Amino acid sequence: MKLHKTAVKTCEQLLKEFAMNNAAVTDIKKLKFTGVGHKDVYNITAPFEDENEWVIAGRVESRDSEHSDVVFFVERDGEWVPREGAPVLELQDPLFTRINGELIVGGVQIYPHPVKADALMWRTVFYRGKNIANLELFFKGPDGMKDLRLVDLKDSIGVLTRPQGDKGGRGKIGFTRISSLDELSIPLIEETPLLEGQFIDEEWGGANEAHLLKNGLLGVLGHIASFDDAGNRHYYPMVFAINPATGEYSDIQIIAVRNQFLPGATKRPDLEDVVFSGGLVRQSDGTAHLYAGISDAEAQRATIPDPFVQFETL
C-alpha cells in the first residue's frame, strides 16, 4: 500500500484543491446543549457508546474565558444534557478512543506557567477505565503539547504527537508506535519523529482523531491552521493517512470550510473562520458525519463524503 506524498502544501493551496473537488457538505445542523447555564459548548467529540447509551464530551466555557470543563452529555428529546452522575473534568478540547477494549478519555489541561507571571501553560492528559464512571487519570503529556492522540492498531498502539517550539514550530505532527500503554512516557513522546513536509513554518496543525482502516492504514482526522495579515485565525478540518508499518503518509486534504456550516456566534472576531475537527462517524453509504466546534462558540454536525474511503482502496 503505497501512500503518495508530494511537496508541502499551504492552506491556500489546499483550499484551491478543496474548491476544485466541489465536495458536498449537507444535512448541517447545530447541536443544542442545555443544562450548563449561559456557557458555550464547543470542540465536541463524536458520539461514543458508554453503558448502552450514546455520549458526547464537550468543552463547556464562558464566552469571556479560557477556563473550561469537559462535560459528558446524553441526548434527551433532541437536546444534549449533562449526564447525571458523570464526572466533570477540568479540561479543554476532549478526546476519546478505545484501546484493548478500555475507554480512554482525555483533553488539554491548563495550569499557571512555571516562569511567566499571569501566563498559562498546557498539556494533554489521559484517563482510562472500563466506562466513564470509572475513569482514572493515568498519564500527563509533555508541557506545552496539545493534540496528543492514541489509537489501537491491534498489534500495537499508535501515538500521534504535536510538539511546538524548537522542534515543531507553531505545531507539527509526529508518529510512533508502542506495544502497550505502559511504554507511554514523556521522553518517548518528545523523541517521536515528525511527519516532515506537512506544514510550512508559518502554519500549523494537529491530529484530532485516528481511525484504523480495514486495510491496516491509519486515517487521521485533524486540523490545519494559519494566521492572515490581520492576525485572524483560520482553522480547517483535514485528513491524511499513515501506513503504520512503513511510516509512509499521504498529503493533507481539507474536508470542509466554515462557510459550509450554519452562521452563528463567535468567541472573538479573530476566531470567526474556525472549524475544529471533533470527530468523524463513518456511515455505510459512503458518507460520514463530521462533528466540529465552530468559531470557538458552538457545535455543529454535517454530512460529508467519507474521506477515508479513498485510502481503503489502496
Side-chain angles (χ1 to χ4, degrees), residues 7-308:
V8 60
K9 296 180 181 180
T10 64
C11 284
E12 184 178 10
Q13 290 170 306
L14 293 171
L15 285 168
K16 287 179 180 177
E17 291 180 2
F18 175 72
M20 289 173 61
N21 290 337
N22 197 27
V25 175
T26 60
D27 189 29
I28 305 142
K29 69 174 186 177
K30 295 188 180 187
L31 301 185
K32 186 174 183 180
F33 293 88
T34 60
V36 293
H38 296 292
K39 293 185 176 181
D40 296 323
V41 181
Y42 68 103
N43 290 9
I44 57 172
T45 65
F48 60 96
E49 199 169 0
D50 183 77
E51 301 292 282
N52 299 313
E53 187 173 40
W54 290 101
V55 180
I56 285 178
R59 175 173 173 168
V60 180
E61 185 176 278
S62 296
R63 187 69 57 87
D64 60 353
S65 174
E66 291 289 326
H67 292 273
S68 68
D69 290 319
V70 166
V71 175
F72 297 97
F73 294 89
V74 292
E75 193 171 16
R76 298 286 185 267
D77 300 321
E79 297 180 351
W80 292 87
V81 301
R83 188 191 215 181
E84 191 173 341
V88 174
L89 307 177
E90 196 174 337
L91 300 173
Q92 301 174 342
D93 302 341
L95 63 95
F96 84 92
T97 190
R98 281 192 171 84
I99 295 177
N100 295 326
E102 190 173 37
L103 178 65
I104 309 290
V105 170
V108 176
Q109 182 183 66
I110 60 172
Y111 54 98
H113 197 287
V115 178
K116 299 177 183 176
D118 300 322
L120 294 173
M121 198 61 168
W122 53 84
R123 60 191 166 212
T124 306
V125 302
F126 292 107
Y127 293 73
R128 66 195 292 186
K130 65 178 183 178
N131 52 34
I132 289 172
N134 290 279
L135 290 173
E136 292 186 1
L137 180 68
F138 81 94
F139 185 74
K140 294 182 178 181
D143 293 344
M145 188 180 293
K146 298 182 180 182
D147 301 327
L148 187 59
R149 295 293 186 270
L150 305 172
V151 58
D152 194 337
L153 299 173
K154 304 307 180 190
D155 64 340
S156 58
I157 298 168
V159 182
L160 290 149
T161 68
R162 199 202 75 160
Q164 292 178 277
D166 291 344
K167 182 174 181 178
R170 288 180 168 170
K172 294 181 171 66
I173 298 172
F175 177 75
T176 192
R177 293 193 296 169
I178 53 178
S179 60
S180 77
L181 290 176
D182 295 336
E183 291 184 28
L184 200 58
S185 71
I186 287 177
L188 175 130
I189 290 166
E190 291 178 336
E191 293 163 13
T192 294
L194 294 176
L195 304 179
E196 298 290 350
Q198 284 194 307
F199 309 99
I200 62 170
D201 289 341
E202 294 76 19
E203 298 178 353
W204 69 97
N208 293 82
E209 191 182 62
H211 294 246
L212 181 62
L213 306 182
K214 61 185 179 184
N215 59 357
L217 293 180
L218 188 62
V220 180
L221 172 71
H223 58 275
I224 184 170
S226 65
F227 287 111
D228 62 23
D229 292 340
N232 298 315
R233 298 169 190 261
H234 302 269
Y235 274 72
Y236 309 101
M238 60 80 164
V239 296
F240 65 97
I242 303 173
N243 185 332
T246 65
E248 293 174 309
Y249 48 100
S250 70
D251 282 345
I252 284 172
Q253 300 171 20
I254 287 175
I255 57 172
V257 293
R258 174 65 185 93
N259 65 14
Q260 294 175 307
F261 290 83
L262 299 174
T266 182
K267 189 176 186 73
R268 300 192 310 262
D270 66 307
L271 298 171
E272 184 176 349
D273 188 27
V274 169
V275 180
F276 191 78
S277 314
L280 198 73
V281 179
R282 305 180 72 197
Q283 306 297 307
S284 58
D285 63 356
T287 66
H289 292 156
L290 174 64
Y291 290 80
I294 303 294
S295 306
D296 279 16
E298 59 185 22
Q300 297 189 30
R301 191 200 83 181
T303 300
I304 63 172
D306 184 342
F308 295 139

